[in-house]
Amino acid sequence: MKKNYIAANWKMNLTRSKAVELAKDIREAVKDGKNKYMIAPSFTLIQDVAEVLKGSNILLGAQNMCAEEQGAFTGEVSPLQLLDLGVQVVILGHSERRHIFKETNELINSKVKMALAHKIEVILCVGELLEEREAGKAVAVCEEQIRKGLDGVSEKDMENITIAYEPVWAIGTGKTASPEDADEIHAEIRRVLKDMYGEEIAKNTYIQYGGSMKPTNAEALLAKENIDGGLIGGAGLKAETFAPICKF
Ligand code: PGA
């Protein structure tokens, strides 16, 4: 059976001492866990958190990355700089990047390919806005984000791709998609992956759910056939709320 892949996206929270404390608490709480784990701190916290996670069963992630290796890109962080800190995973296409910072599918696709070229694993986030869901467009939006986001990604590189389905209306709002609704979209995502890459790759690709996942709803979500993990914001900021999700 596939493990679950449980990832914490700390977003723009914490300073170094608090981040180290939290990383230590999580490391301790999940040290015997059998699932796949990841923590993505802000860029400024990565070096300190890397020290804590060294030798643990938790991967080190980043929340974004530039699509270029180096040069005149003020304020950006390159894949080479992330690798230099020991980063193994990058979250790309998060809805906050898409909607607040206006990242397009095309830009996200170049970031995806750049990360893969450097053997950095990718969590590619997709998900619909509330008005898109109400207009019956949830599947179409996710399908377009996947097809464009993975354009030019080879079958071989798919082993380094995870998809996170994060309905935008559920992120940080306390509202969660019901396990049935989430599973339905996850099944559609798997259908798209099957169409693009065949049955085997579609089956093996992790599809995480994100959007107010917490200890009280995680078990029911993770029990669903097509939900292989979680990308967790708010509940990832405390070991007491993150660790229980890690055990399912
Ligand atoms: P949330 O965030 O768990 O706070 O809803 C999830 C995410 O945006 O990755």
Side-chain angles (χ1 to χ4, degrees), residues 23-230:
K24 281 184 181 162
D25 290 348
I26 292 177
R27 182 190 66 188
E28 182 57 26
V30 309
K31 69 175 191 296
D32 299 319
K34 300 285 178 281
N35 288 310
K36 179 171 175 175
Y37 307 117
M38 188 277 271
I39 295 177
S42 297
F43 292 132
T44 58
L45 310 174
I46 290 177
Q47 187 166 10
D48 293 271
V49 171
E51 284 300 314
V52 179
L53 299 187
K54 208 177 275 172
S56 76
N57 57 348
I58 306 172
L59 297 170
L60 180 64
Q63 300 170 18
N64 188 22
M65 191 196 81
C66 186
E68 302 290 337
E69 284 182 348
Q70 60 196 6
F73 301 98
T74 302
E76 292 289 299
V77 175
S78 92
L80 303 179
Q81 293 168 327
L82 294 182
L83 286 172
D84 190 39
L85 296 175
V87 167
Q88 296 151 298
V89 184
V90 64
I91 299 170
L92 295 173
H94 191 279
S95 63
E96 287 147 20
R97 301 295 325 166
R98 291 178 188 270
H99 298 294
I100 305 173
F101 299 102
K102 308 293 173 215
E103 291 196 11
T104 61
N105 282 317
E106 290 66 29
L107 175 66
I108 293 161
N109 176 246
S110 16
K111 294 184 180 198
V112 167
K113 287 189 285 198
M114 177 58 79
L116 294 171
H118 289 284
K119 299 275 177 277
I120 301 174
E121 283 184 32
V122 171
I123 295 179
L124 172 64
C125 303
V126 302
E128 80 286 358
L129 296 163
L130 183 58
E131 56 266 35
E132 291 167 334
R133 167 157 286 249
E134 285 171 351
K137 291 185 187 152
V139 173
V141 168
C142 294
E143 177 154 3
E144 184 181 22
Q145 291 173 342
I146 291 171
R147 288 190 185 274
K148 292 190 171 165
L150 295 180
D151 186 38
V153 171
S154 70
E155 289 185 8
K156 177 82 190 79
D157 277 334
M158 282 303 290
E159 65 190 36
N160 286 321
I161 294 279
T162 291
I163 306 289
Y165 168 59
E166 301 202 300
V168 181
W169 48 271
I171 295 178
T173 57
K175 285 186 204 151
T176 322
S178 71
E180 292 67 33
D181 283 352
D183 193 51
E184 198 180 308
I185 304 277
H186 281 234
E188 292 288 345
I189 291 172
R190 225 178 277 290
R191 170 189 61 76
V192 175
L193 293 175
K194 183 175 165 195
D195 185 51
M196 293 174 77
Y197 294 101
E199 180 132 32
E200 198 58 20
I201 290 177
K203 199 174 84 202
N204 293 335
T205 303
Y206 279 103
I207 308 177
Q208 297 171 320
Y209 169 79
S212 302
M213 192 186 263
K214 48 193 173 227
T216 46
N217 60 26
E219 187 168 17
L221 285 159
L222 293 170
K224 287 289 172 193
E225 187 187 343
N226 287 294
I227 302 181
D228 311 314

